[in-house]
Amino acid sequence: MGFFNKSLINRRKQSLSSLKSQNQEHTQKNDLHSSLSENIRKVKETLGDSDDIIIREFRIGKERKLKAGIFYTDGLIDTASIQNFVLESLMFNIQDIDIDKNVASKDHLLQLLKDSVLAVGDLKELTDYNHLFNLMLAGNVILLLDGYTQGFAIGMKGGKERGVPEATSENTVRGPKEAYSESLRTNTALLRRKINDQNLWFETKKLGTVTKTNVSMAYIKGIVNDKVVEEVRKRLDQINIDGILETGYVEELIQDKTFTPFPTIFHTERPDVTAANLLEGRVAIFVDGSPHALIVPSLFVQFFQTADDYYQRADIVTLLRILRFIGFFIALLGPSFYIAVTTFHQEMLPTPLLINLAAQREGVPFPAFIEALMMEVTFEILREAGVRMPRAIGQAVSIVGTLVIGTAAVDAGIVSAAMVIVVAITAISSFLVSSDSLSISVRMLRFVFMGLAASFGLFGIIVSLIALSNHLCSLRSFGIPYMSPLAPFIVEDQKDVIFRFPRWGLFSRPRLISQKNIKREDTPLPKPDPRNQK
């Protein structure tokens, strides 16, 4: 008897556990309810009855027997399309159909709506609340019918968007002026206009547990290195954060985990720059809501190149690139070299210049390092203030402030006139660096070099340059050496580093980036012969 009681208890426990697991499974599925009113209640309850969520109930079919409802987020959809292609189609195009007589089953009605009634291109079926909320809040119109546990998500994204703007941070003399906007689809369309090829592929993921931001990865199949694509895909999948609001979020989360002040991911606002990098075998990353694209892998020499470099003649571009590299070294070493020479190595200066500098510093109470530090900090404050202030007065305040403070500091005997000249040349040279992210890195390292120059003179500068070179050579961007093609030195890729070869000489892609389909053409174009020209 006790045995039967135990077996009965065990059976009841098993039935209860199976019932509990079924309830949990149903809860995890979060299926739609067959009652339209219950679905409306669920939507309002989940979204807090937000006033931007529009719910419209109506009846369809002959004698208006079947209740239907549409749900959408105001401001994210095209309201005119709803009127023309959803409401009009459902309320008038099937008004002669007797649903009770002419529709054999529920699946028959859903198929009828899908095939013959809803005149839209983007149509998805949904059966649970998770997809309902994700699609509705992403700009889709949700259609539900009373008595059905299945609905449709109709793609009708629209609303207010900024048009295609003009590039502001990457200005060019020649070439297109268009730039990316905050719309992901607008940005991908701009890139499609540049590369009209079936091998241009896009992979879109939703990142951010709360924001559910669309992040798209673009590359050209057959040119890109498959290992780089797999690495980018892997790093994007590892992102676990509540929100992605800009490309800067993704950049910090996927960049190589190496402590460095130098940027290892390139960002641009220009579609033509993105297209040129994709043609070299790189991968572009777009974030919905950001007017920039990330380019990986990125190399050190890439931050000295601009779009104008490929729209002008090769000799002009070569001269401009040499000027950029010179400006980079002046911005990095200008104040530190002045401090080292005037403090430790006065014998390197001509006697008249040394006497002149000594006369200027006669009434200055601070050493050269403190002078340079005060002026550099002051200039950085003015530069940051000019960026953050309103555009109408920001530039004027920074220029006037620099002139007034520099002149007043010299007249007050706080700094020498030579130091003001050195700091001014350094600041102007920093603007020659085309990439803003690399320019910020130079501004940070400048203070380190100044401190070493004040402590050890030229010896400190040389040792710090060696350490900096070793650090740069140790960096990698998605597996590619950061200093290539300089280190490792690749002779074939020197045609587009410091010097830019003419167009007929750029017939191959960077070897370490693409690693396949190296040649841009089957055979390089012949060099034009001036004797054949009349």
Side-chain angles (χ1 to χ4, degrees), residues 107-140:
D107 293 337
H108 184 198
L109 176 60
L110 294 176
Q111 195 65 32
L112 177 67
L113 295 178
K114 185 177 181 181
D115 295 341
S116 304
V117 178
L118 295 173
V120 292
D122 187 6
L123 189 66
K124 303 183 184 71
E125 297 181 3
L126 54 90
T127 57
D128 59 87
Y129 287 112
N130 290 333
H131 285 91
L132 184 149
F133 291 119
N134 290 338
L135 293 171
M136 182 177 67
L137 297 175
N140 293 272

Side-chain angles (χ1 to χ4, degrees), residues 124-358:
K124 303 183 184 71
E125 297 181 3
L126 54 90
T127 57
D128 59 87
Y129 287 112
N130 290 333
H131 285 91
L132 184 149
F133 291 119
N134 290 338
L135 293 171
M136 182 177 67
L137 297 175
N140 293 272
V141 179
I142 306 300
L143 170 63
L144 298 180
L145 302 176
D146 190 28
Y148 292 77
T149 58
Q150 183 179 346
F152 293 110
I154 307 168
M156 289 186 173
K157 295 183 180 180
K160 299 289 184 181
E161 288 183 2
R162 190 164 64 112
V164 179
E166 184 176 345
T168 56
S169 60
E170 298 176 69
N171 297 323
T172 58
V173 178
R174 298 180 62 177
K177 306 297 182 182
E178 60 189 5
Y180 291 127
S181 68
E182 288 77 13
S183 172
L184 177 62
R185 280 295 155 254
T186 301
N187 296 340
T188 56
L190 289 173
L191 188 58
R192 284 282 186 192
R193 290 174 59 186
K194 299 294 180 183
I195 305 177
N196 186 12
D197 188 82
Q198 68 272 16
N199 291 319
L200 176 59
W201 290 7
F202 290 93
E203 295 183 16
T204 303
K205 305 175 183 292
K206 284 189 179 294
L207 300 181
T209 57
V210 177
T211 60
K212 295 180 177 61
T213 306
N214 288 322
V215 177
S216 185
M217 180 175 63
Y219 56 89
I220 301 178
K221 188 68 175 178
I223 295 179
V224 70
N225 187 350
D226 295 332
K227 293 183 179 179
V228 174
V229 174
E230 185 61 32
E231 182 65 24
V232 175
R233 190 183 293 122
K234 175 184 174 183
R235 296 189 186 186
L236 288 176
D237 291 337
Q238 290 176 348
I239 294 178
N240 185 14
I241 192 173
D242 60 347
I244 300 291
L245 302 179
E246 216 274 336
T247 53
Y249 287 65
V250 178
E251 180 179 357
E252 285 195 64
L253 293 171
I254 68 172
Q255 66 184 357
D256 292 67
K257 301 300 186 289
T258 305
F259 182 75
T260 177
F262 291 95
T264 56
I265 296 179
F266 185 78
H267 64 86
T268 180
E269 64 173 352
R270 299 179 59 92
D272 55 337
V273 174
T274 307
N277 281 280
L278 293 186
L279 290 171
E280 289 187 347
R282 293 183 172 89
V283 179
I285 301 173
F286 298 91
V287 175
D288 193 15
S290 172
H292 291 88
L294 301 178
I295 307 294
V296 295
S298 300
L299 308 180
F300 179 73
V301 295
Q302 187 178 352
F303 293 92
F304 292 89
Q305 300 171 355
T306 65
D308 264 334
D309 291 356
Y310 304 94
Y311 303 145
Q312 296 183 356
R313 283 170 29 199
D315 51 351
I316 299 175
V317 173
T318 299
L319 173 63
L320 295 178
R321 283 192 181 176
I322 293 174
L323 287 177
R324 290 187 202 124
F325 279 99
I326 293 175
F328 169 79
F329 284 105
I330 292 177
L332 182 65
L333 302 174
S336 58
F337 187 79
Y338 176 82
I339 293 170
V341 170
T342 56
T343 305
F344 294 96
H345 311 283
Q346 294 91 348
E347 66 278 1
M348 296 179 61
L349 297 175
T351 303
L353 178 60
L354 180 61
I355 294 174
N356 190 8
L357 292 177

